[in-house]
Amino acid sequence: MASAAEDDYICPICCEIFKAPVLLSCSHSLCKECIQQFWRIKKTQECPVCRRRSSREEPPYNLALKNLCESFLKERNERHSSGSEEICNLHSEKLKLFCLEDKQPVCVVCFTSQQHDNHKCRPISEVVSSYKEELNTALKSLEKKLQHKEKMKAGFEKTVQHIKSQAEHTERQIKQQFEKLHQFLRDEEEATITALREEEEQKKQMTKENLEEMNRHISALSHTIKDMEEMMKASDICFLKEFPVSMERVQSSRPDPQMASGALIHVPRYLGNLPFRVWKKMQDIVQNTPVILDPNTANPWLVLSDDLTSVRNCRNKQPLPDNPERFDFYPCVLSSEGFNSGTHCWDVEVKQSQRWCLGVTTASYQGKGCDFFNTDVWSVEYHMSGRYIGSGFRVKRKVDQVRVYLDYDRGTVSFSDPVTNKHLHTFTTTFTHTLFPFFYCFDSLRIVVN
């Protein structure tokens, strides 16, 4: 119950501490909202306490009373702040009930007031128990979400490390491959320059021999001229005696050494189509594989070769990221590129495997779970024990190689033994999606390099 001091701060209409009190001309104070609602209902501006008619439609605020009410509430809150139970700010009563409509605790006086008229209220302890149970259920759901997100976070962290490892390994392979090409080019450069220098020495030697012969001719002519000049200075009798011999020496001559055809460097032999000729030679050391395996699709039990042309089952599961493209049930791997037109052919060596399956599948394959072979898969398979995994064509005898021939436009996938040239099976259908070569590997498989 309200104390005598508290009664001075209670509105006679709502029976709660004044909120924005206004002063009527009759000197009674009421909450502004309360008196306006009262006048709207009564349709007359009279005081609900003394029934005197108010002379003003907008009565002034009672600022003094407003300040007193605020001070009273502040003191009461401070007085009860250290108590073990919460106290109603309006009525100084213990908060024992909870209004389900307004979602707030109330005291008994609040419950009986106009503000909470027809509201459902329950004991606080009952509501707290119910809410705690509801919150506990929600917390368990959040804990599961947290565990799931922590697991996903660990997966992302694992993927980051795998990406780093992939990049480092790939960079090493790139450098090794380019070093082979660089070495080949260096060897070709050295061989070409060596051949050029050999021709240079050969042509220079030939020219030097001509030059030496020409030097001998020049020396002989110089001696003859000098001798003839001496003869011209001799006495007439001596000159006449030596004249026939001198004339013979002057008139005699040896043929000049001639420059042979092809004496110069055969430049086109070295520079003509040089890049093309080197590229043609490079083809002898460069291999072309019609199908390249995609390590991002490989089941964690599979290991791919560095050149991505062979795969083997390592019998130990590798710690790889569970990315969406990766097979997690069957020991399968896809090619890195698919086909949506034209004809394509590739040979697979299977002689080291006692159990295998290979063919093509659509780009919409589901690599997760055990339903892979229930999707669009066209394949042939072999198992020496006779236990097969899918619905593809079953090869009854062991073969060393299998040739896959895809004619996308005609809708056919043919399988044959290229060693014996024996046809195994052909699927005929209509393809509407991109097709990817796939390989089920229980032992080891290798794509034959062209």
Side-chain angles (χ1 to χ4, degrees), residues 126-149:
E126 179 182 324
V127 176
V128 168
S129 176
S130 175
Y131 278 13
K132 282 186 177 180
E133 183 178 351
E134 183 179 346
L135 183 59
N136 188 49
T137 302
L139 283 175
K140 289 180 179 179
S141 177
L142 284 179
E143 288 174 356
K144 290 182 179 179
K145 288 182 180 179
L146 177 61
Q147 293 175 359
H148 176 68
K149 292 183 184 298

mmCIF file of all heavy atoms in Angstrom, residues 126-149:
data_model
loop_
_atom_site.group_PDB
_atom_site.id
_atom_site.type_symbol
_atom_site.label_atom_id
_atom_site.label_comp_id
_atom_site.label_asym_id
_atom_site.label_seq_id
_atom_site.Cartn_x
_atom_site.Cartn_y
_atom_site.Cartn_z
ATOM 1 N N GLU A 126 7.372 -18.580 -11.777
ATOM 2 C CA GLU A 126 6.846 -19.488 -12.795
ATOM 3 C C GLU A 126 7.304 -19.055 -14.197
ATOM 4 O O GLU A 126 7.720 -19.880 -15.012
ATOM 5 C CB GLU A 126 5.318 -19.491 -12.717
ATOM 6 C CG GLU A 126 4.649 -20.390 -13.750
ATOM 7 C CD GLU A 126 3.138 -20.331 -13.670
ATOM 8 O OE1 GLU A 126 2.621 -20.209 -12.535
ATOM 9 O OE2 GLU A 126 2.475 -20.394 -14.723
ATOM 10 N N VAL A 127 7.238 -17.742 -14.447
ATOM 11 C CA VAL A 127 7.650 -17.237 -15.765
ATOM 12 C C VAL A 127 9.155 -17.423 -15.952
ATOM 13 O O VAL A 127 9.613 -17.818 -17.026
ATOM 14 C CB VAL A 127 7.259 -15.762 -15.918
ATOM 15 C CG1 VAL A 127 7.772 -15.216 -17.248
ATOM 16 C CG2 VAL A 127 5.748 -15.603 -15.830
ATOM 17 N N VAL A 128 9.939 -17.146 -14.891
ATOM 18 C CA VAL A 128 11.391 -17.296 -14.984
ATOM 19 C C VAL A 128 11.766 -18.737 -15.312
ATOM 20 O O VAL A 128 12.624 -19.007 -16.156
ATOM 21 C CB VAL A 128 12.071 -16.837 -13.684
ATOM 22 C CG1 VAL A 128 13.538 -17.261 -13.663
ATOM 23 C CG2 VAL A 128 11.978 -15.329 -13.542
ATOM 24 N N SER A 129 11.105 -19.678 -14.648
ATOM 25 C CA SER A 129 11.385 -21.097 -14.902
ATOM 26 C C SER A 129 11.095 -21.453 -16.355
ATOM 27 O O SER A 129 11.886 -22.135 -17.011
ATOM 28 C CB SER A 129 10.548 -21.963 -13.959
ATOM 29 O OG SER A 129 10.743 -23.330 -14.248
ATOM 30 N N SER A 130 9.945 -20.961 -16.842
ATOM 31 C CA SER A 130 9.571 -21.250 -18.229
ATOM 32 C C SER A 130 10.535 -20.602 -19.214
ATOM 33 O O SER A 130 10.980 -21.222 -20.189
ATOM 34 C CB SER A 130 8.145 -20.762 -18.488
ATOM 35 O OG SER A 130 7.803 -20.914 -19.848
ATOM 36 N N TYR A 131 10.874 -19.326 -18.914
ATOM 37 C CA TYR A 131 11.785 -18.605 -19.814
ATOM 38 C C TYR A 131 13.187 -19.204 -19.804
ATOM 39 O O TYR A 131 13.866 -19.273 -20.834
ATOM 40 C CB TYR A 131 11.839 -17.130 -19.427
ATOM 41 C CG TYR A 131 10.693 -16.300 -19.969
ATOM 42 C CD1 TYR A 131 9.567 -16.918 -20.524
ATOM 43 C CD2 TYR A 131 10.721 -14.907 -19.946
ATOM 44 C CE1 TYR A 131 8.517 -16.167 -21.023
ATOM 45 C CE2 TYR A 131 9.674 -14.146 -20.444
ATOM 46 C CZ TYR A 131 8.564 -14.785 -20.977
ATOM 47 O OH TYR A 131 7.513 -14.050 -21.482
ATOM 48 N N LYS A 132 13.629 -19.635 -18.608
ATOM 49 C CA LYS A 132 14.951 -20.253 -18.525
ATOM 50 C C LYS A 132 15.012 -21.541 -19.340
ATOM 51 O O LYS A 132 16.006 -21.837 -20.005
ATOM 52 C CB LYS A 132 15.321 -20.535 -17.070
ATOM 53 C CG LYS A 132 15.775 -19.297 -16.317
ATOM 54 C CD LYS A 132 16.261 -19.661 -14.925
ATOM 55 C CE LYS A 132 16.794 -18.421 -14.209
ATOM 56 N NZ LYS A 132 17.283 -18.743 -12.838
ATOM 57 N N GLU A 133 13.924 -22.299 -19.266
ATOM 58 C CA GLU A 133 13.871 -23.533 -20.051
ATOM 59 C C GLU A 133 13.907 -23.222 -21.552
ATOM 60 O O GLU A 133 14.612 -23.877 -22.321
ATOM 61 C CB GLU A 133 12.599 -24.315 -19.695
ATOM 62 C CG GLU A 133 12.504 -25.654 -20.412
ATOM 63 C CD GLU A 133 11.261 -26.431 -20.008
ATOM 64 O OE1 GLU A 133 10.569 -26.014 -19.047
ATOM 65 O OE2 GLU A 133 10.965 -27.449 -20.654
ATOM 66 N N GLU A 134 13.140 -22.189 -21.942
ATOM 67 C CA GLU A 134 13.132 -21.780 -23.349
ATOM 68 C C GLU A 134 14.501 -21.274 -23.778
ATOM 69 O O GLU A 134 14.996 -21.614 -24.861
ATOM 70 C CB GLU A 134 12.079 -20.687 -23.550
ATOM 71 C CG GLU A 134 11.939 -20.232 -24.991
ATOM 72 C CD GLU A 134 10.869 -19.154 -25.146
ATOM 73 O OE1 GLU A 134 10.071 -18.962 -24.199
ATOM 74 O OE2 GLU A 134 10.840 -18.503 -26.211
ATOM 75 N N LEU A 135 15.118 -20.454 -22.897
ATOM 76 C CA LEU A 135 16.435 -19.918 -23.224
ATOM 77 C C LEU A 135 17.488 -21.020 -23.257
ATOM 78 O O LEU A 135 18.392 -21.002 -24.097
ATOM 79 C CB LEU A 135 16.822 -18.848 -22.199
ATOM 80 C CG LEU A 135 18.160 -18.134 -22.435
ATOM 81 C CD1 LEU A 135 18.159 -17.439 -23.788
ATOM 82 C CD2 LEU A 135 18.451 -17.152 -21.311
ATOM 83 N N ASN A 136 17.344 -21.989 -22.362
ATOM 84 C CA ASN A 136 18.290 -23.097 -22.329
ATOM 85 C C ASN A 136 18.233 -23.904 -23.624
ATOM 86 O O ASN A 136 19.264 -24.304 -24.169
ATOM 87 C CB ASN A 136 17.992 -23.999 -21.125
ATOM 88 C CG ASN A 136 19.071 -25.048 -20.933
ATOM 89 O OD1 ASN A 136 20.256 -24.743 -20.937
ATOM 90 N ND2 ASN A 136 18.658 -26.297 -20.787
ATOM 91 N N THR A 137 17.005 -24.104 -24.120
ATOM 92 C CA THR A 137 16.854 -24.805 -25.401
ATOM 93 C C THR A 137 17.506 -24.020 -26.532
ATOM 94 O O THR A 137 18.192 -24.580 -27.387
ATOM 95 C CB THR A 137 15.356 -25.021 -25.710
ATOM 96 O OG1 THR A 137 14.752 -25.768 -24.656
ATOM 97 C CG2 THR A 137 15.175 -25.768 -27.021
ATOM 98 N N ALA A 138 17.281 -22.698 -26.500
ATOM 99 C CA ALA A 138 17.893 -21.845 -27.523
ATOM 100 C C ALA A 138 19.415 -21.848 -27.403
ATOM 101 O O ALA A 138 20.132 -21.843 -28.415
ATOM 102 C CB ALA A 138 17.356 -20.420 -27.413
ATOM 103 N N LEU A 139 19.921 -21.878 -26.140
ATOM 104 C CA LEU A 139 21.367 -21.900 -25.938
ATOM 105 C C LEU A 139 21.983 -23.193 -26.476
ATOM 106 O O LEU A 139 23.072 -23.187 -27.049
ATOM 107 C CB LEU A 139 21.686 -21.755 -24.444
ATOM 108 C CG LEU A 139 21.573 -20.342 -23.867
ATOM 109 C CD1 LEU A 139 21.800 -20.352 -22.368
ATOM 110 C CD2 LEU A 139 22.567 -19.412 -24.540
ATOM 111 N N LYS A 140 21.272 -24.303 -26.269
ATOM 112 C CA LYS A 140 21.782 -25.563 -26.804
ATOM 113 C C LYS A 140 21.878 -25.509 -28.322
ATOM 114 O O LYS A 140 22.827 -26.023 -28.923
ATOM 115 C CB LYS A 140 20.869 -26.716 -26.374
ATOM 116 C CG LYS A 140 20.971 -27.051 -24.892
ATOM 117 C CD LYS A 140 20.049 -28.206 -24.521
ATOM 118 C CE LYS A 140 20.190 -28.544 -23.039
ATOM 119 N NZ LYS A 140 19.271 -29.651 -22.647
ATOM 120 N N SER A 141 20.856 -24.878 -28.938
ATOM 121 C CA SER A 141 20.895 -24.716 -30.390
ATOM 122 C C SER A 141 22.075 -23.844 -30.806
ATOM 123 O O SER A 141 22.772 -24.131 -31.787
ATOM 124 C CB SER A 141 19.584 -24.099 -30.879
ATOM 125 O OG SER A 141 19.616 -23.860 -32.270
ATOM 126 N N LEU A 142 22.303 -22.762 -30.018
ATOM 127 C CA LEU A 142 23.442 -21.887 -30.316
ATOM 128 C C LEU A 142 24.765 -22.621 -30.135
ATOM 129 O O LEU A 142 25.714 -22.422 -30.900
ATOM 130 C CB LEU A 142 23.409 -20.653 -29.410
ATOM 131 C CG LEU A 142 22.387 -19.574 -29.764
ATOM 132 C CD1 LEU A 142 22.472 -18.431 -28.767
ATOM 133 C CD2 LEU A 142 22.613 -19.052 -31.175
ATOM 134 N N GLU A 143 24.830 -23.480 -29.103
ATOM 135 C CA GLU A 143 26.059 -24.240 -28.878
ATOM 136 C C GLU A 143 26.346 -25.174 -30.055
ATOM 137 O O GLU A 143 27.494 -25.333 -30.476
ATOM 138 C CB GLU A 143 25.942 -25.039 -27.576
ATOM 139 C CG GLU A 143 26.007 -24.165 -26.334
ATOM 140 C CD GLU A 143 25.733 -24.957 -25.069
ATOM 141 O OE1 GLU A 143 25.429 -26.162 -25.188
ATOM 142 O OE2 GLU A 143 25.823 -24.381 -23.977
ATOM 143 N N LYS A 144 25.269 -25.791 -30.570
ATOM 144 C CA LYS A 144 25.448 -26.649 -31.742
ATOM 145 C C LYS A 144 25.920 -25.835 -32.939
ATOM 146 O O LYS A 144 26.786 -26.265 -33.698
ATOM 147 C CB LYS A 144 24.137 -27.366 -32.068
ATOM 148 C CG LYS A 144 23.751 -28.435 -31.059
ATOM 149 C CD LYS A 144 22.452 -29.136 -31.469
ATOM 150 C CE LYS A 144 22.085 -30.214 -30.464
ATOM 151 N NZ LYS A 144 20.816 -30.893 -30.833
ATOM 152 N N LYS A 145 25.310 -24.633 -33.099
ATOM 153 C CA LYS A 145 25.741 -23.762 -34.193
ATOM 154 C C LYS A 145 27.200 -23.355 -34.017
ATOM 155 O O LYS A 145 27.964 -23.300 -34.981
ATOM 156 C CB LYS A 145 24.857 -22.515 -34.246
ATOM 157 C CG LYS A 145 23.443 -22.772 -34.745
ATOM 158 C CD LYS A 145 22.649 -21.481 -34.811
ATOM 159 C CE LYS A 145 21.218 -21.734 -35.318
ATOM 160 N NZ LYS A 145 20.423 -20.480 -35.365
ATOM 161 N N LEU A 146 27.572 -23.055 -32.748
ATOM 162 C CA LEU A 146 28.955 -22.671 -32.473
ATOM 163 C C LEU A 146 29.913 -23.806 -32.813
ATOM 164 O O LEU A 146 30.955 -23.591 -33.436
ATOM 165 C CB LEU A 146 29.099 -22.275 -30.997
ATOM 166 C CG LEU A 146 30.513 -21.910 -30.544
ATOM 167 C CD1 LEU A 146 31.025 -20.703 -31.323
ATOM 168 C CD2 LEU A 146 30.543 -21.646 -29.043
ATOM 169 N N GLN A 147 29.539 -25.039 -32.388
ATOM 170 C CA GLN A 147 30.379 -26.193 -32.706
ATOM 171 C C GLN A 147 30.503 -26.374 -34.216
ATOM 172 O O GLN A 147 31.584 -26.677 -34.731
ATOM 173 C CB GLN A 147 29.794 -27.446 -32.060
ATOM 174 C CG GLN A 147 29.855 -27.432 -30.541
ATOM 175 C CD GLN A 147 29.156 -28.635 -29.918
ATOM 176 O OE1 GLN A 147 28.600 -29.480 -30.619
ATOM 177 N NE2 GLN A 147 29.163 -28.710 -28.603
ATOM 178 N N HIS A 148 29.351 -26.191 -34.909
ATOM 179 C CA HIS A 148 29.367 -26.328 -36.370
ATOM 180 C C HIS A 148 30.266 -25.271 -37.004
ATOM 181 O O HIS A 148 31.059 -25.574 -37.908
ATOM 182 C CB HIS A 148 27.942 -26.203 -36.907
ATOM 183 C CG HIS A 148 27.851 -26.229 -38.404
ATOM 184 N ND1 HIS A 148 28.138 -27.345 -39.153
ATOM 185 C CD2 HIS A 148 27.524 -25.245 -39.298
ATOM 186 C CE1 HIS A 148 27.989 -27.071 -40.440
ATOM 187 N NE2 HIS A 148 27.623 -25.808 -40.550
ATOM 188 N N LYS A 149 30.152 -24.024 -36.505
ATOM 189 C CA LYS A 149 30.965 -22.954 -37.067
ATOM 190 C C LYS A 149 32.443 -23.143 -36.732
ATOM 191 O O LYS A 149 33.316 -22.829 -37.545
ATOM 192 C CB LYS A 149 30.461 -21.596 -36.570
ATOM 193 C CG LYS A 149 29.080 -21.229 -37.104
ATOM 194 C CD LYS A 149 28.645 -19.862 -36.662
ATOM 195 C CE LYS A 149 27.230 -19.551 -37.127
ATOM 196 N NZ LYS A 149 27.112 -19.554 -38.604
#
